[in-house]
Amino acid sequence: MPAVGTYVAPPPHRPPVSARQSTVCAVVTALVATMLLFVPAGTAEAAPTLLSQGKPVTASSEENAGTPASSAVDGNTTTRWSSAHTDPQWLRVDLGASARISQVVLNWETAYGKGYRIELSANGSDWTTAYQTTTGDGGTDTVDLTGEARYIRVHGTTRGTQYGYSLWEFKVYGETGPGGPQLPGGGDLGPNVHVFEPSTPGIQAKLDDVFKQQESAQFGSGRHAFFFKPGTYNNLNAQIGFYTSIAGLGLKPDDTTINGDVTVDAGWFNGNATQNFWRSAENLALNPVSGTNRWAVSQAASFRRMHVKGGLNLAPAGYGWASGGYIADSKIDGTVGPYSQQQWYTRDSSVGGWTNGVWNMTFSGVEGAPATGFPNPPYTTLDTTPISREKPFLYLDGSTYKVFVPAKRTNARGVSWNGTPQGESIGLDKFYVVKPGATAATINQALSQGLHLLFTPGVYHVDRSIEVNRANTVVLGLGLATIIPDGGVTAMKVADVDGVRLAGFLIDAGPVNSPTLLELGPQNASADHAANPTTVQDVYVRVGGAGAGKATTSIVVNSDDTVIDHTWVWRADHGEGVGWETNRADYGVRVYGDDVLATGLFVEHFNKYDVEWYGERGRTIFYQNEKAYDAPNQAAIQNGDTKGYAAYRVDDSVDVHEGWGLGSYCNYTSDPNIRQDHGFKAPVKPGVKFHSLLVVSLGGMGHYNHVINNTGASTVPAGTSTVPSTLVSFP
């Protein structure tokens, strides 16, 4: 391990992939209609059979009558298929039945593919990438695969010459025959999903019983989800504790009305709400008893798709400390009062008013939001949100459970549920309902069959990565379902495919260091997902706190166009397994993909950089950060000639980047004499812009010399007064 303070260069944004790999392992998925089965590499003992010769074949184009598509599968190396002289082009073979594919051989003519993908499909229309390269150099390519499908194609993306694509032969090897038992979709949701209807007896008693268990169980193993069927519920006060979610089962919030409150307060912590984490409220209409509902939370506590027919108080009783939170796709008819909340982000909503702000109140696409006035008042307001797509959610269609996947919106403003909600409904029978005790192998088998994942409330240990390889896969957690990687594996990896939705779960680092915890796309990701981006919503990462945990980097974003919508990535500063080296975690979030958007980014306490950005045209709307409390001394965070690692660093190679409403706070409790040269670091270029920046020393426990680079006032003159240094714009 390098000495503390020594800069470790990150991997390149687009590392080359060898075009001549003798073995390329891939987990391949397709739609459930073909019942694809995960087959671990090396399990087949029979010799593979040439499956493609003489099979029906089609192509995107044929250069002329003398080079038809059929020539690529005729077994004759003196005949060939060639395409038109444009990109992209493809050649598709129908194997006639589902087969377990083990190897593909491409015998290129002079006109070869420099960039191409090998793709598999169940039905000939929905494709999964099994292999891709951007550095092909012609000749003969042999690629080993592991997967099952009926259709296979080579999809050329970049020609190696001025001509088209030309193949003497396209050979597919594998086996046919039964693929083994299939996992069922659907099923019951387990004992910790509590479903009510208006006639259910004892609702309040059940709510109270779970709250008693969860009120102060900050690092406990209990997980619960409350669901209310459409209808009206009277005289309820649902107090929401740790790892507890409450939601309506209608398609719209007003389908399910509670005449009462959904409450979060901080009595368990003497009126201090700064540790009210890991809970949620969603898809309900509320008529608060007093006219105002109390939702005194801090990080990792989302308030989504809610209709409050009154006001909303974001502070605890007594107006004790609270450190920030998130509202999206919600309508608050009355006034929102943040009071003691230090910062807050509200997106695509409607409010009747907003009373005050402490340091950083950021709004995008919010009807009724106050105008920008940063730093006094501390409001930063964008009229619209550039790209948004609301979180998937469980609902009832009659008596049938389905998951609604909202449509993407561009330049959104206001809630998404006025009128008919736009999006897709997916029946629960298309989901593998994951329950505690499920193994990673079983979960991956379900994914390989084409099933989505619905994690029921619980804690899940995985001894290998969960591999999400199919476009448009939904991975939805209930009750803050928690995934713990064992043995230093990466908890979850997402392929470079369109439209994956990850939502509603927590990844908790294990005691053996993981190089990463969540990977969105491989290092060589290059596909354009602008029309259908992957979204990451209410997905949280924790390193330490519940026990010793380690991870070099928590989240790596390689796929272009990814939307991160509300995450809290946290190296623990309290709980069990906490210490400068005990829960070592150097980097929080690293972004290599282009055109990545973060809306509501909370990242805290990492040993080095909390956020690093290498991709072009990245945007962040609202960022909240605290530097690591437990740095033992100045030397521990020395970064070459620089004092401290920036909370948010944009790499010098980046030409275009923009951020709004970004704050960083230091609280160096181990050594108050520590100095940070700056909270933010970015290249000085016309395309790199920041709006509404601030840094704060909490009670004089350490200080910042500047806000960004060498610009912005030091916090030293503020002493112990906890007054931020601000910068309206940069450069």
Side-chain angles (χ1 to χ4, degrees):
M1 178 177 287
V4 173
T6 302
Y7 177 64
V8 179
H13 175 31
R14 296 278 189 263
V17 177
S18 172
R20 198 74 56 187
Q21 298 184 26
S22 60
T23 301
V24 179
C25 294
V27 177
V28 181
T29 65
L31 292 180
V32 69
T34 62
M35 301 196 301
L36 302 188
L37 177 66
F38 176 78
V39 184
T43 58
E45 296 180 357
T49 301
L50 178 59
L51 303 174
S52 53
Q53 190 163 312
K55 291 296 194 296
V57 60
T58 55
S60 54
S61 66
E62 296 176 346
E63 184 179 21
N64 55 59
T67 57
S70 59
S71 293
V73 294
D74 63 2
N76 186 342
T77 57
T78 65
T79 61
R80 64 187 175 92
W81 162 71
S82 62
S83 75
H85 301 176
T86 59
D87 291 310
Q89 301 289 338
W90 50 263
L91 179 81
R92 185 188 80 169
V93 179
D94 179 0
L95 301 176
S98 185
R100 293 183 297 282
I101 298 168
S102 59
Q103 190 179 84
V104 172
V105 178
L106 301 99
N107 185 358
W108 295 103
E109 193 255 1
T110 303
Y112 66 95
K114 180 179 180 181
Y116 65 88
R117 303 192 296 267
I118 296 173
E119 299 175 323
L120 305 184
S121 175
N123 54 14
S125 59
D126 298 288
W127 296 91
T128 298
T129 298
Y131 169 74
Q132 65 180 359
T133 184
T134 57
T135 56
D137 58 359
T140 300
D141 290 340
T142 300
V143 179
D144 289 351
L145 305 175
T146 302
E148 184 172 345
R150 172 173 173 170
Y151 300 89
I152 183 167
R153 73 180 179 186
V154 55
H155 187 119
T157 56
T158 305
R159 291 168 291 141
T161 70
Q162 67 188 36
Y163 304 105
Y165 297 84
S166 184
L167 282 166
W168 294 112
E169 284 293 303
F170 179 51
K171 295 182 178 181
V172 180
Y173 293 90
E175 299 175 65
T176 59
Q182 301 294 291
L183 294 169
D188 72 273
L189 301 176
N192 289 338
V193 172
H194 314 283
V195 180
F196 304 128
E197 55 188 348
S199 61
T200 302
I203 296 176
Q204 187 65 58
K206 185 62 178 178
L207 292 168
D208 292 345
D209 179 59
V210 171
F211 179 66
K212 183 178 179 180
Q213 299 172 41
Q214 301 301 119
E215 180 183 12
S216 59
Q218 183 173 179
F219 298 111
S221 59
R223 304 287 187 273
H224 293 270
F226 293 114
F227 284 103
F228 289 76
K229 293 182 179 181
T232 300
Y233 300 78
N234 296 314
N235 305 315
L236 293 180
N237 180 20
Q239 299 183 81
I240 305 301
F242 285 99
Y243 313 108
T244 304
S245 300
I246 185 170
L249 283 170
L251 190 56
K252 300 170 69 171
D254 289 336
D255 293 340
T256 310
T257 297
I258 292 179
N259 292 318
D261 296 87
V262 172
T263 302
V264 176
D265 206 344
W268 74 278
F269 201 46
N270 300 315
N272 180 341
T274 58
Q275 293 183 23
N276 279 351
F277 311 140
W278 302 307
R279 62 200 76 197
S280 68
E282 185 173 353
N283 203 30
L284 291 165
L286 304 178
N287 280 307
V289 170
S290 68
T292 299
N293 190 76
R294 186 182 301 279
W295 185 255
V297 299
S298 287
Q299 290 74 36
S302 63
F303 196 81
R304 288 185 181 270
R305 206 177 181 85
M306 295 287 287
H307 184 189
V308 181
K309 298 178 180 181
L312 187 64
N313 185 341
L314 303 178
Y319 301 95
W321 294 335
S323 64
Y326 172 92
I327 293 171
D329 201 26
S330 294
K331 183 179 181 183
I332 294 90
D333 294 345
T335 297
V336 180
Y339 302 110
S340 56
Q341 286 285 356
Q342 296 164 350
Q343 66 274 315
W344 198 276
Y345 175 53
T346 307
R347 177 183 64 71
D348 298 354
S349 295
S350 173
V351 299
W354 194 276
T355 57
N356 75 298
V358 178
W359 294 333
N360 179 19
M361 304 281 124
T362 302
F363 310 83
S364 67
V366 179
E367 297 169 345
T372 295
F374 188 87
N376 187 24
Y379 302 145
T380 304
T381 301
L382 286 73
D383 190 57
T384 62
T385 303
I387 300 167
S388 59
R389 181 168 53 201
E390 300 307 328
K391 172 183 172 288
F393 61 92
L394 189 70
Y395 80 104
L396 276 173
D397 183 0
S399 60
T400 302
Y401 282 109
K402 295 182 177 179
V403 171
F404 189 75
V405 184
K408 173 190 167 188
R409 298 202 291 168
T410 302
N411 296 322
R413 181 172 174 82
V415 299
S416 70
W417 39 271
N418 278 336
T420 302
Q422 300 299 302
E424 176 190 9
S425 289
I426 305 173
L428 193 63
D429 61 332
K430 304 299 183 185
F431 282 79
Y432 177 60
V433 179
V434 193
K435 296 177 182 176
T439 65
T442 300
I443 293 168
N444 282 334
Q445 179 183 339
L447 287 167
S448 72
Q449 288 178 206
L451 293 172
H452 305 277
L453 299 179
L454 183 74
F455 281 89
T456 62
V459 178
Y460 300 83
H461 285 264
V462 295
D463 60 359
R464 67 188 74 176
S465 298
I466 296 172
E467 302 271 1
V468 183
N469 293 326
R470 179 173 54 88
N472 300 313
T473 299
V474 177
V475 180
L476 178 60
L478 304 180
L480 278 295
T482 302
I483 301 169
I484 302 175
D486 293 333
V489 303
T490 296
M492 186 176 293
K493 295 181 179 181
V494 178
D496 191 27
V497 295
D498 276 356
V500 172
R501 278 82 155 181
L502 308 182
F505 57 89
L506 168 66
I507 296 175
D508 201 355
V512 178
N513 185 74
S514 294
T516 57
L517 293 173
L518 174 61
E519 293 183 10
L520 303 167
Q523 285 189 10
N524 61 330
S526 60
D528 181 358
H529 306 295
N532 186 14
T534 285
T535 54
V536 183
Q537 300 176 287
D538 302 349
V539 173
Y540 311 122
V541 174
R542 179 172 68 195
V543 183
K550 292 185 178 182
T552 304
T553 304
S554 288
I555 298 179
V556 176
V557 183
N558 290 311
S559 287
D560 294 347
D561 307 294
T562 299
V563 177
I564 301 174
D565 177 45
H566 190 225
T567 186
W568 186 39
V569 183
W570 185 59
R571 176 182 168 266
D573 60 279
H574 63 272
E576 296 183 10
V578 172
W580 185 248
E581 296 296 342
T582 304
N583 62 328
R584 183 83 192 185
D586 284 350
Y587 308 103
V589 176
R590 285 176 141 181
V591 179
Y592 298 97
D594 294 335
D595 301 293
V596 172
L597 171 66
T599 52
L601 185 60
F602 299 72
V603 187
E604 296 187 306
H605 305 154
F606 286 84
N607 294 76
K608 293 185 178 179
Y609 290 114
D610 299 280
V611 170
E612 288 190 287
W613 213 293
Y614 296 87
E616 284 290 351
R617 298 175 299 280
R619 291 174 290 184
T620 295
I621 304 173
F622 184 87
Y623 175 64
Q624 186 269 329
N625 167 264
E626 286 181 346
K627 295 302 298 175
Y629 290 2
D630 56 345
N633 49 50
Q634 187 74 50
I637 63 164
Q638 192 67 19
N639 182 14
D641 295 331
T642 302
K643 295 178 180 178
Y645 291 83
Y648 186 109
R649 185 182 82 89
V650 180
D651 192 68
D652 288 344
S653 64
V654 173
D655 292 321
V656 178
H657 188 91
E658 195 160 10
W660 297 262
L662 283 70
S664 178
Y665 323 131
C666 70
N667 186 33
Y668 286 117
T669 54
S670 295
D671 183 358
N673 295 312
I674 290 176
R675 295 292 182 268
Q676 285 268 147
D677 273 345
H678 41 241
F680 302 89
K681 178 73 169 63
V684 181
K685 298 179 180 180
V688 178
K689 303 174 183 178
F690 288 92
H691 316 271
S692 303
L693 291 170
L694 66 99
V695 293
V696 182
S697 168
L698 302 183
M701 304 299 283
H703 280 285
Y704 297 89
N705 292 333
H706 301 283
V707 178
I708 182 169
N709 298 353
N710 294 320
T711 301
S714 171
T715 61
V716 172
T720 62
S721 63
T722 313
V723 173
S725 292
T726 61
L727 200 62
V728 173
S729 62
F730 177 86

